[in-house]
Structures are given as C-alpha cells and as structure tokens.
Amino acid sequence: MKILILLAFFFSANAFSNSNAGVSNKAHNGITQASLDNGLKIIVKVDDRAPVFISQLWYKVGASNESRPNTGISHMLEHMMFKGTRKYPVGEFSRIIAKNGGAENAFTSKDYTAYYQKMHNSKLELAIKMEADRMRNLTFSSRELEKERQVVIEERRMRVEDNPNAKVFEQLRLISYGESGAYHAPVIGFQADIESYQLNDLRDWYETYYAPNNATLVVVGDVDPAQVVAYAKQYFSAYAFNPKISQLKDKPPIALTQQHRQLKLKAKLPLVTMAFHVPSLNSAQDKSQAYQLEMLSYVLDNGLSKTLIRDRQIASSISVGYRLYDKYQTQFTISFIPAQGLENNTVINAIKQQVTALINRPELLTDEIRRTKAQLEANFVFEQDQISTQSYYLGMLETVELGVDKMFEYVDKMNEIVGKDLSKVANMFLNFEQMNQVELIPQAL
C-alpha cells in the first residue's frame, strides 16, 4: 500500500530583525527565511519541545543533473564529503559529531543532495561551522576514492544487481527518458560509470555545484533564528558567489512513450510495472492537476488493492506511485505481481476496467475520497512531532524551487478535490495505449 508521508506545521510567529550587512530576512508562517549576499539561503523553524536541533545543508544537484559517463557522481561525492578537509582530516568530522552526542548522515536523490547533523542545541555553532568548512575545503584523495568506489559498487550490487525488481524500475526509467532525459539514470549510477570516473571528475563536480548560491541551510529545533543567521554569516559569508550556477542549463525530461521491454532475470516472482508521463507540481501549468494526480494515486492504490487482491484475488501485490514534488515532469506508475498461475494481461485488463469505471462513474469514489482526506489530515497532524521530517520538507520544497509556503497549501488543495476531478485527470493522463511497460519474467534461481 502507498505510504502516506506528510507533515504538520502549526507555527507561531518567529520574526526577528538583523542589522548585519550582507543578510536579508523575512518571517512568515513561523518560518524565518534569510539570505546572504553570496546567495546562501537560510531557513529556520523553532520547535522548542526538546533542547535539540537538526541542521541540514541542501545542494541543488542530484541524478537529474548527470549524464553518461558520470551517472552516480553526486552520490559518490556524498561519500567523499566524509573523507576530510584540510581542517578536519578523514574521520574527524564524524568523530567530533559523535563525541558531542550527535548523529549525522547524508542523502542523495534525483534533484538534491543534503547533509545533516542532529545534536543538543548547545552544539549549534559546531554543526554549522563544520558543515561550512566542507562546502569549499574538501580534500580529494585517490586512495579514499578507490575505497569508496568499492563501497558504492557493493551498494549497487546489493540494491540493484541482486534485486530483480530494482532492475525492472531502472529499465523503466531508461526506456521512458532515453539516455539524455532528467530522470533516466538511477541515483547510484550505472555500474560502468561508477567504475570509470576519476578524481578530477569529482573535483569538477564539487567546484561547480557546491557553492553558497546553490545551497540552503535549514535548521529546525530549539534555536534562536537570529543566532542561526549570525553563525551562517560568520562561517559561510567568505565563500564567493559562483556565476556558473546561473549558466547551467536544466536537463529537460525526454518523454518517450509506447516503450515495452521484457527482462528475463533470476527471480522467484514475476513483476509488471506500467508508467504514464505526468506533470509534477513544479512542472505543471495547471497546479491543480498535480494535486489531483496525487489524490488519484491514493484512491487507485486503495481501490485496486481491494478489488484485485482481496475481492478477486488475481494479484498478490499492487502499488500505485506518483511523486508530487519532483522538479521535472514525472511518472505515474502502477505495478503488480499477478496471482500464481495467472497471465499478466488478466491483471492489466482488470486495471483498465477499474480506471474506465473511475472515469465513467466518478460518483462511486465519494466514500473513498472522504476516507483518504481524513487519513491525509491525520498524518498531517501526526508528523509534526519529528523535527527531521519538518526540516526535510522545508529543505526539499526550497531546493526543487517550489518554496516552503507550498507546504501550507497541501491539505486545503487535497480537500478541494472531488470525484469528477479524478475522472478528468485519469482520462487525460492514464492512456494505456501510450504507456511504458517493463515485465520481469522469472528464470530459475
């Protein structure tokens, strides 16, 4: 079943003034936003229920910026960011964070790379100072690259090469976007590329994208916004604005359709995944369509699971996916494992029938839409307890260029949706004649 991942923000105002040169700021909805003259953005949200904070530094670079032969280079650079600077040699960053009772890590996605520390609020300056240091002072060691290359190769082996379902979705992206579309490559990269790029490739990637005007500092927790901005100014303001950032051209998604592939792999169970090109919130001209596709993914996921798994028992698993917050045009996916002994087309035809029924009789969705809205609001409230979830949405929305105010619209936008809206977007985008499809045909283990 589709997992609900939402966020609650019930903020009180936290405006402040700052007369320091080189800083501009504003506060709205309890979120303080500021920027330095070199382009670094700062977002602060106060949550004083516990004396802790999470500090995240987000960079606008990920797999969607990459092309062959450098797929996976953003992820590899994430690994290298823990391999030392001139001030903090290899291992020191993590040792110091742990010594001070903190936790730290990083993650790379299609549209961003982010680094974070979660610590007691007395360690705020330490976290910002150390993170600022590795923005521009990373040392590059051939020895460390070779060590991390082997780590990433093993990571890919476990996550992709030995996982037939992951290979299906990797193939789906490749046939849907070609070799030049924004989302054609896996975040971890293709095997041949992981094995080939050199130290200078990583250094060039770092010099290009790890600049203050391509980054956002997000801090959530029991902190003083004015102090966060002061530390950011103290430790980041010496770094120069990088004019190359504005000259970099976005990679448009290449929307290929009617691409069908079969993969014969060693596996226990078959799998079919179908994909339809659809707009994300950022890429949609009509923003309401993106919210309607989001609601459609929940409603279809629940409806198909009930009908095809529980009632008719023709599928053993089914999942519907949509990524509202992708930076570029994205995909609406329907994936399933057929029940033992059944042909894939039996399930595909049943899915088509249910989508057709949705289009022709949207009034039948009234109860399901009402249940979904209630579930969304409940999750919206529940997840306010996690400062890491709060900071994730603040950083992600800013980094994909939607802006943090979009989080306040989500529940209202979803509550506006009615059955005829889902009928309209399903009819517009779920064209089974134009879909891309990958089938996994199991081979003996």
Short mmCIF file of all heavy atoms in Angstrom, two decimals, residues 135-155:
data_model
loop_
_atom_site.label_atom_id
_atom_site.label_comp_id
_atom_site.label_asym_id
_atom_site.label_seq_id
_atom_site.Cartn_x
_atom_site.Cartn_y
_atom_site.Cartn_z
N MET A 135 32.02 22.75 2.69
CA MET A 135 31.42 23.26 1.46
C MET A 135 32.49 23.60 0.42
O MET A 135 32.30 23.39 -0.77
CB MET A 135 30.55 24.49 1.72
CG MET A 135 30.06 25.17 0.44
SD MET A 135 29.11 26.68 0.67
CE MET A 135 27.46 26.01 0.88
N ARG A 136 33.64 24.14 0.88
CA ARG A 136 34.65 24.58 -0.09
C ARG A 136 36.05 24.04 0.19
O ARG A 136 36.98 24.34 -0.56
CB ARG A 136 34.73 26.12 -0.10
CG ARG A 136 33.45 26.84 -0.48
CD ARG A 136 32.87 26.38 -1.80
NE ARG A 136 33.74 26.64 -2.94
CZ ARG A 136 33.59 26.06 -4.14
NH1 ARG A 136 32.65 25.16 -4.32
NH2 ARG A 136 34.40 26.37 -5.12
N ASN A 137 36.24 23.28 1.23
CA ASN A 137 37.60 22.89 1.62
C ASN A 137 37.85 21.38 1.59
O ASN A 137 38.79 20.90 2.23
CB ASN A 137 37.90 23.42 3.04
CG ASN A 137 37.85 24.92 3.09
OD1 ASN A 137 38.44 25.60 2.24
ND2 ASN A 137 37.14 25.47 4.07
N LEU A 138 37.06 20.66 0.85
CA LEU A 138 37.22 19.21 0.79
C LEU A 138 38.56 18.83 0.17
O LEU A 138 39.00 19.43 -0.81
CB LEU A 138 36.08 18.61 -0.04
CG LEU A 138 35.88 17.09 0.06
CD1 LEU A 138 35.47 16.70 1.47
CD2 LEU A 138 34.82 16.65 -0.95
N THR A 139 39.22 17.86 0.76
CA THR A 139 40.44 17.30 0.17
C THR A 139 40.06 16.06 -0.63
O THR A 139 39.15 15.33 -0.25
CB THR A 139 41.47 16.94 1.24
OG1 THR A 139 40.86 16.07 2.20
CG2 THR A 139 41.98 18.19 1.93
N PHE A 140 40.77 15.84 -1.73
CA PHE A 140 40.44 14.72 -2.60
C PHE A 140 41.62 13.76 -2.63
O PHE A 140 42.71 14.11 -3.06
CB PHE A 140 40.12 15.22 -4.01
CG PHE A 140 38.78 15.90 -4.11
CD1 PHE A 140 38.66 17.26 -3.86
CD2 PHE A 140 37.64 15.17 -4.41
CE1 PHE A 140 37.43 17.89 -3.94
CE2 PHE A 140 36.40 15.78 -4.48
CZ PHE A 140 36.29 17.15 -4.26
N SER A 141 41.37 12.55 -2.18
CA SER A 141 42.40 11.53 -2.10
C SER A 141 42.06 10.37 -3.03
O SER A 141 40.96 9.81 -2.97
CB SER A 141 42.51 11.02 -0.66
OG SER A 141 43.14 9.76 -0.59
N SER A 142 43.00 10.01 -3.89
CA SER A 142 42.79 8.86 -4.78
C SER A 142 42.56 7.59 -3.98
O SER A 142 41.74 6.73 -4.34
CB SER A 142 44.00 8.69 -5.70
OG SER A 142 44.13 9.80 -6.56
N ARG A 143 43.30 7.46 -2.88
CA ARG A 143 43.14 6.27 -2.04
C ARG A 143 41.73 6.19 -1.48
O ARG A 143 41.11 5.11 -1.51
CB ARG A 143 44.16 6.32 -0.90
CG ARG A 143 44.05 5.14 0.06
CD ARG A 143 45.04 5.28 1.21
NE ARG A 143 44.90 4.20 2.17
CZ ARG A 143 45.57 4.13 3.30
NH1 ARG A 143 46.45 5.07 3.61
NH2 ARG A 143 45.39 3.11 4.12
N GLU A 144 41.20 7.33 -0.98
CA GLU A 144 39.85 7.32 -0.42
C GLU A 144 38.81 7.09 -1.52
O GLU A 144 37.78 6.44 -1.28
CB GLU A 144 39.57 8.63 0.32
CG GLU A 144 40.41 8.83 1.56
CD GLU A 144 40.17 7.76 2.62
OE1 GLU A 144 39.05 7.21 2.67
OE2 GLU A 144 41.11 7.45 3.38
N LEU A 145 39.05 7.64 -2.71
CA LEU A 145 38.12 7.40 -3.81
C LEU A 145 38.02 5.92 -4.13
O LEU A 145 36.92 5.38 -4.31
CB LEU A 145 38.54 8.19 -5.05
CG LEU A 145 37.74 7.86 -6.33
CD1 LEU A 145 36.25 8.12 -6.14
CD2 LEU A 145 38.28 8.66 -7.52
N GLU A 146 39.14 5.25 -4.20
CA GLU A 146 39.11 3.83 -4.53
C GLU A 146 38.41 3.02 -3.45
O GLU A 146 37.68 2.07 -3.75
CB GLU A 146 40.53 3.30 -4.76
CG GLU A 146 41.19 3.86 -6.01
CD GLU A 146 40.29 3.76 -7.24
OE1 GLU A 146 39.72 2.67 -7.49
OE2 GLU A 146 40.14 4.76 -7.96
N LYS A 147 38.58 3.41 -2.19
CA LYS A 147 37.87 2.73 -1.11
C LYS A 147 36.36 2.94 -1.24
O LYS A 147 35.57 2.00 -1.12
CB LYS A 147 38.36 3.25 0.24
CG LYS A 147 39.76 2.78 0.61
CD LYS A 147 40.34 3.55 1.77
CE LYS A 147 39.50 3.44 3.03
NZ LYS A 147 40.14 4.16 4.18
N GLU A 148 35.96 4.18 -1.50
CA GLU A 148 34.54 4.48 -1.60
C GLU A 148 33.94 3.92 -2.87
O GLU A 148 32.75 3.56 -2.90
CB GLU A 148 34.30 5.99 -1.51
CG GLU A 148 34.57 6.56 -0.14
CD GLU A 148 33.86 5.79 0.97
OE1 GLU A 148 32.61 5.66 0.91
OE2 GLU A 148 34.54 5.32 1.90
N ARG A 149 34.74 3.85 -3.93
CA ARG A 149 34.23 3.24 -5.16
C ARG A 149 33.80 1.80 -4.90
O ARG A 149 32.75 1.35 -5.36
CB ARG A 149 35.31 3.28 -6.25
CG ARG A 149 34.77 2.94 -7.64
CD ARG A 149 35.87 2.62 -8.63
NE ARG A 149 36.90 3.64 -8.73
CZ ARG A 149 36.85 4.71 -9.51
NH1 ARG A 149 35.77 4.93 -10.24
NH2 ARG A 149 37.87 5.57 -9.55
N GLN A 150 34.61 1.06 -4.14
CA GLN A 150 34.27 -0.32 -3.83
C GLN A 150 33.03 -0.40 -2.93
O GLN A 150 32.21 -1.31 -3.08
CB GLN A 150 35.46 -1.02 -3.17
CG GLN A 150 36.67 -1.15 -4.06
CD GLN A 150 36.34 -1.76 -5.42
OE1 GLN A 150 35.68 -2.81 -5.49
NE2 GLN A 150 36.78 -1.12 -6.50
N VAL A 151 32.90 0.56 -2.02
CA VAL A 151 31.70 0.61 -1.17
C VAL A 151 30.46 0.81 -2.02
O VAL A 151 29.43 0.13 -1.84
CB VAL A 151 31.83 1.74 -0.12
CG1 VAL A 151 30.50 1.94 0.60
CG2 VAL A 151 32.93 1.41 0.88
N VAL A 152 30.52 1.74 -2.98
CA VAL A 152 29.36 2.05 -3.82
C VAL A 152 29.06 0.89 -4.77
O VAL A 152 27.89 0.57 -5.02
CB VAL A 152 29.59 3.36 -4.60
CG1 VAL A 152 28.46 3.61 -5.59
CG2 VAL A 152 29.69 4.53 -3.62
N ILE A 153 30.09 0.26 -5.31
CA ILE A 153 29.87 -0.91 -6.17
C ILE A 153 29.14 -2.01 -5.39
O ILE A 153 28.20 -2.64 -5.91
CB ILE A 153 31.21 -1.42 -6.73
CG1 ILE A 153 31.74 -0.45 -7.81
CG2 ILE A 153 31.06 -2.82 -7.31
CD1 ILE A 153 33.12 -0.78 -8.30
N GLU A 154 29.56 -2.23 -4.15
CA GLU A 154 28.88 -3.23 -3.32
C GLU A 154 27.45 -2.79 -3.00
O GLU A 154 26.53 -3.62 -2.98
CB GLU A 154 29.67 -3.44 -2.03
CG GLU A 154 29.04 -4.42 -1.04
CD GLU A 154 28.93 -5.84 -1.59
OE1 GLU A 154 29.57 -6.15 -2.61
OE2 GLU A 154 28.20 -6.64 -0.97
N GLU A 155 27.26 -1.49 -2.78
CA GLU A 155 25.93 -0.96 -2.51
C GLU A 155 25.03 -1.20 -3.72
O GLU A 155 23.87 -1.61 -3.58
CB GLU A 155 26.04 0.54 -2.22
CG GLU A 155 24.74 1.21 -1.81
CD GLU A 155 24.93 2.69 -1.53
OE1 GLU A 155 26.09 3.13 -1.36
OE2 GLU A 155 23.92 3.41 -1.49
#
